[in-house]
Amino acid sequence: MIQKYLYGVPFDTESVVAPIPASQGEPPVGTIKTSEFGFCFACLLAEGDRVYGLGEANRGINKRGFVYVSDNVDDGLHTENKQRMYAAHNFIVISGQQNLGLFFDYPARIRFDIGFTRRDWLEVTCERADLALYVITGDSACDVVKQFRAIIGRSYIPPKFAFGFGQSRYGYKTQADFEEVVAKHRQAHIPLDMVYMDIDYMDHYKDFTVNPENFPDFSGFVSKMKEQGVRLVPIIDAGVKEEAGYSVCNEGKEKGYFCKRADGTDFEGTVWPGWSHFPDVLNPEARAWFGSQYRALTDCGIEGFWNDMNEPALFYSPERLKAFFESMDELSRKDNIVQDEFFGKVVGGALGLMNAPEDYASFYHDVDGQRVRHDRVHNLYGGNMTRAAGEAFARLRPGRRTLLYSRSSFIGSHRYGGIWLGDNASTWAQLLANIQMMPNVQLCGFLYTGADLCGFSYDTTPDLALRWLEFGLFTPLMRNHATDGSRMQEYYRFADMLPALRKMLRLRYALLPYLYSTFMKAALEDTSYFRPLGFDFPADPDAREVQDQLLLGEGVMVAPVYTQNASGRHVYLPEAMKLYRIRSVDDYDTELLPAGHHYVRCALDEVLLFIRPGHAVPVARPASCTAQLDDTALTLWACPDENGSARCRMYTDDGETSDFAAPEHWKVLESN
Ligand code: GLC
């Protein structure tokens, strides 16, 4: 059952699409306090309650014991103390004696104290008491999530090529750079479907332009790559460069489509292109205009994009930079400065220029003729940039699927695109964070998700690259991405690991019939792709505690190794399962393991896949790209039930069009 409670005058975020009448009175759980100072929801947490959700957030699968803040920020250092990330996913599921979902439909900063101040206490607070609260009760955590997914609308479905492998790096610049990357993958027999174009493909970081010297015939290049089974996927940033004569800038200014300061002038902030304007994607007209700019690239044959810097990230604004320089000027005239001045004014002042709350409070959106201050709707910005693109693709490429994912998001934008988990680092802790974030992000509706494999910042190591791939090969979005200046980490660079890396990438393609079917089931039937063990085994205290194994669709459990120099790991099996210890699609051993605790060996070049009783996994022959994958010649890996049979429901389609409903997409495969 879903009940909706309204407080004050909520901003219409459009997160929820189902019409739900508002209930009167108090919600069935917790206490609510509203005042001119804000909103507070509080309730007791029982001893055994787990709290899932919050999507892209720090720490474990169970969020209990910390504070999390939804206030989208460009911060690439995801240490355990961080409370905010790139996204606002304000949905939690409390699972224990009862199963309860709470969705706080609020567009700005909101704070979740989940057993931080007091272990048995949940408190959710925000500055203004203008929001909708949805309370969902259900028989199980799965049931609560399914009901939630039904009211927020169907999750975005990418084209099938997006389930292949994509190589990316901040630093590829010229056509020759991209050609070399593709050629080296092919020479190394590493499958490849996409190469991502980071900001250097643009002309001076101007959105919707291509550097004419580096790409003399861009359309020709796009089709040449496509002939080789590779899609080029360009980045689009939120900030539009301020430059006289740049048509997107000129037109945006003329039509009044950029966010404005209080005095009506166009707000400016600095990001990669230098001084930039920010399209007012909360204004439907401006959103349609910005979306239609993607045409410059779809007309060249581009079929996919990633949207970035859309929290929106602000390196600094002219106002704040001026104030900082003035304060430095004063300090520079002193003979000596004290520590407080050094740390507070010099260091703090410089760092405080970035993503400054004062800047977010200094510009406005035009929403249906109403002027809305940005900080009051801050968390909706990135998601509406995704929406701008998603809505435009429906016009520009009707009936075709377009790859799209974003860095910043809110629940609602899951209908238009996927997300990647932002700038992580090449550390083992971030591999675990990737594992733990996946189920929570997906239960908030973002099914097409993945992290930068190998890690974005710092230098990766060959074993981390391999171990991360051994998890990444199961994530819907599978991309190796790194920052400029870090160690080169294309998989073909790691000579000693190359045979194993190649086999793991080929394994991904072999498993695509299962992974794609699981994804489509999750999208079309509001079921899960990844989920915590506690969802299926709520009565099993050991299963409830597991934080580093995931159920994957109906029939599979994964248990990745995420520590360095480990050649095995502890695995908990809530039921008997068949272990496939896989070195390659043709080289694996199997063992039927009873329910219980096990130490399972897993050498560096092996991956563990567990199949649940009665289930089968269809396995194809690996291919060099998704277009060449033959999903008619399948082998079944299976764990028979007590009657000796195992089955799986498989989904196939053309991978390009949006006709998902046809019953002939489904077939049941059985092994006995
Ligand atoms: C941001 C993105 C990262 C990208 C970089 C340069 O940090 O998160 O993925 O490589 O900008 O565009």
Side-chain angles (χ1 to χ4, degrees):
M1 183 168 75
I2 305 183
Q3 286 159 291
K4 168 178 166 183
Y5 297 88
L6 292 178
Y7 303 95
V9 188
F11 183 90
D12 186 7
T13 63
E14 298 181 60
S15 291
V16 171
V17 288
I20 298 177
S23 298
Q24 300 304 317
E26 294 292 313
V29 281
T31 52
I32 305 264
K33 282 192 207 130
T34 61
S35 74
E36 60 187 301
F37 305 111
F39 168 91
C40 174
F41 169 92
C43 75
L44 272 172
L45 293 172
E47 183 50 35
D49 282 350
R50 281 91 52 209
V51 182
Y52 302 109
L54 292 184
E56 190 183 300
N58 230 336
R59 301 207 167 206
I61 297 179
N62 180 354
K63 310 313 288 182
R64 200 161 168 176
F66 200 56
V67 174
Y68 307 87
V69 175
S70 294
D71 187 12
N72 297 349
V73 65
D74 172 19
D75 176 357
L77 192 62
H78 307 167
T79 45
E80 211 177 298
N81 58 322
K82 290 289 167 73
Q83 299 179 348
R84 320 192 271 155
M85 300 195 82
Y86 304 91
H89 300 153
N90 302 332
F91 176 55
I92 56 174
V93 180
I94 305 174
S95 185
Q97 303 259 310
Q98 51 171 353
N99 290 287
L100 184 73
L102 297 169
F103 176 50
F104 297 86
D105 189 3
Y106 181 71
R109 181 188 167 92
I110 181 165
R111 182 177 187 272
F112 294 78
D113 176 338
I114 308 182
F116 170 75
T117 304
R118 264 178 50 186
R119 184 132 183 93
D120 64 350
W121 194 244
L122 166 77
E123 201 166 272
V124 183
T125 46
C126 54
E127 251 178 42
R128 280 179 316 286
D130 296 314
L131 72 158
L133 167 64
Y134 294 80
V135 180
I136 308 177
T137 43
D139 298 335
S140 62
C142 282
D143 177 32
V144 168
V145 172
K146 197 174 164 79
Q147 291 185 60
F148 179 62
R149 296 264 311 280
I151 65 166
I152 58 172
R154 197 183 72 206
S155 298
Y156 161 77
I157 299 175
K160 190 160 181 191
F161 72 76
F163 292 86
F165 168 59
Q167 174 57 40
S168 185
R169 182 175 179 87
Y170 175 18
Y172 299 154
K173 285 191 176 60
T174 62
Q175 181 164 326
D177 292 342
F178 289 92
E179 281 170 340
E180 183 188 324
V181 169
V182 174
K184 293 226 162 124
H185 278 83
R186 295 291 181 235
Q187 279 156 20
H189 301 287
I190 297 176
L192 181 71
D193 266 83
M194 289 153 290
V195 177
Y196 287 88
M197 308 184 88
D198 208 318
I199 46 174
D200 289 310
Y201 80 88
M202 297 181 201
D203 180 14
H204 295 89
Y205 304 146
K206 284 182 277 185
D207 277 344
F208 313 112
T209 68
V210 175
N211 183 307
E213 276 156 34
N214 292 340
F215 302 92
D217 170 19
F218 189 61
S219 303
F221 180 44
V222 173
S223 57
K224 188 174 149 200
M225 287 288 107
K226 200 173 160 187
E227 277 159 27
Q228 298 179 34
V230 174
R231 260 74 171 196
L232 295 170
V233 184
I235 194 171
I236 300 292
D237 279 0
V240 172
K241 185 175 173 62
E242 159 59 49
E243 187 182 282
Y246 165 36
S247 67
V248 184
C249 172
N250 284 359
E251 213 176 294
K253 286 194 332 194
E254 265 161 41
K255 298 195 164 150
Y257 287 157
F258 293 130
C259 294
K260 300 209 168 10
R261 299 187 182 100
D263 65 4
T265 56
D266 290 323
F267 173 77
E268 269 179 304
T270 287
V271 250
W272 300 124
W275 296 120
S276 304
H277 299 294
F278 296 85
D280 184 359
V281 284
L282 270 71
N283 166 354
E285 231 181 81
R287 185 164 65 232
W289 165 78
F290 188 73
S292 58
Q293 305 304 315
Y294 285 78
R295 180 168 191 174
L297 294 162
T298 54
D299 277 355
C300 298
I302 292 293
E303 296 169 58
F305 297 87
W306 46 311
N307 278 351
D308 191 22
M309 304 297 279
N310 50 2
E311 294 67 34
L314 292 178
F315 296 164
Y316 51 85
S317 68
E319 294 84 356
R320 226 132 311 284
L321 189 65
K322 189 163 172 272
F324 175 67
F325 284 159
E326 281 167 5
S327 68
M328 289 304 98
D329 196 41
E330 253 170 56
L331 282 184
S332 70
R333 272 182 257 122
K334 289 187 161 189
D335 290 339
N336 193 9
I337 56 168
V338 293
Q339 271 190 22
D340 282 1
E341 285 172 320
F342 174 70
F343 287 111
K345 292 195 176 163
V346 182
V347 179
L351 291 175
L353 289 173
M354 293 174 76
N355 310 314
E358 299 88 338
D359 284 331
Y360 292 127
S362 76
F363 64 91
Y364 294 81
H365 299 274
D366 173 356
V367 183
D368 302 327
Q370 301 267 17
R371 217 172 64 150
V372 181
R373 206 171 81 188
H374 174 80
D375 60 342
R376 307 221 154 158
V377 286
H378 173 69
N379 290 342
L380 304 183
Y381 191 85
N384 272 292
M385 181 186 174
T386 307
R387 181 174 177 183
E391 287 175 340
F393 299 149
R395 299 189 303 270
L396 298 172
R397 311 186 70 239
R400 321 287 298 169
R401 294 184 230 169
T402 306
L403 169 59
L404 175 64
Y405 59 90
S406 171
R407 191 171 72 178
S408 186
S409 61
F410 70 96
I411 292 175
S413 60
H414 70 287
R415 299 192 292 272
Y416 303 98
I419 50 174
W420 92 100
L421 302 176
D423 294 349
N424 58 10
S426 299
T427 64
W428 294 84
Q430 292 278 280
L431 164 54
L432 176 60
N434 182 191
I435 298 165
Q436 295 182 322
M437 248 185 253
M438 290 304 293
N440 284 329
V441 164
Q442 292 190 322
L443 69 82
C444 290
F446 292 90
L447 295 181
Y448 187 71
T449 310
D452 290 348
L453 302 182
C454 300
F456 175 74
S457 54
Y458 310 161
D459 291 336
T460 201
T461 59
D463 54 347
L464 179 59
L466 181 52
R467 283 300 194 202
W468 208 326
L469 179 60
E470 288 165 5
F471 174 63
L473 73 89
F474 296 110
T475 62
L477 162 59
M478 181 177 56
R479 176 179 80 149
N480 175 350
H481 181 48
T483 189
D484 210 3
S486 66
R487 175 184 194 166
M488 301 299 281
Q489 62 183 37
E490 293 83 4
Y491 288 126
Y492 52 75
R493 306 253 178 200
F494 302 104
D496 54 337
M497 296 289 156
L498 183 56
L501 288 161
R502 180 191 298 122
K503 285 174 190 161
M504 289 302 152
L505 281 149
R506 287 165 61 80
L507 177 63
R508 156 64 164 225
Y509 281 71
L511 291 175
L512 269 182
Y514 181 79
L515 301 177
Y516 187 61
S517 301
T518 299
F519 185 94
M520 294 306 286
K521 255 180 247 175
L524 299 174
E525 298 171 3
D526 292 335
T527 56
S528 79
Y529 185 94
F530 283 124
R531 65 194 176 284
L533 267 58
F535 271 44
D536 287 29
F537 303 95
D540 176 340
D542 291 3
R544 291 196 302 247
E545 288 205 356
V546 174
Q547 294 288 305
D548 57 0
Q549 302 168 209
L550 298 173
L551 295 167
L552 199 190
E554 288 167 3
V556 166
M557 184 184 78
V558 294
V561 176
Y562 55 89
T563 40
Q564 191 159 29
N565 301 320
S567 52
R569 56 160 287 169
H570 168 262
V571 177
Y572 177 66
L573 297 188
E575 62 185 352
M577 292 186 197
K578 186 155 159 195
L579 162 66
Y580 280 71
R581 187 186 289 103
I582 309 165
R583 287 164 290 281
S584 82
V585 66
D586 301 310
D587 178 16
Y588 53 85
D589 50 83
T590 67
E591 195 180 342
L592 196 61
L593 291 177
H597 292 269
H598 301 269
Y599 188 82
V600 182
R601 292 265 155 221
C602 181
L604 188 52
D605 63 349
E606 292 176 329
V607 63
L608 305 175
L609 183 141
F610 297 84
I611 304 186
R612 299 176 66 182
H615 291 277
V617 172
V619 181
R621 292 306 308 158
S624 60
C625 61
T626 47
Q628 286 179 9
L629 199 72
D630 176 3
D631 48 21
T632 55
L634 299 170
T635 317
L636 287 186
W637 290 353
C639 175
D641 60 16
E642 63 272 20
N643 305 318
S645 77
R647 60 211 296 274
C648 89
R649 205 151 57 93
M650 191 173 140
Y651 178 96
T652 41
D653 63 12
D654 64 11
E656 287 180 10
T657 58
S658 308
D659 162 33
F660 306 119
E664 56 272 21
H665 292 324
W666 295 100
K667 64 173 177 256
V668 173
L669 304 179
E670 248 167 301
S671 107
N672 37 32

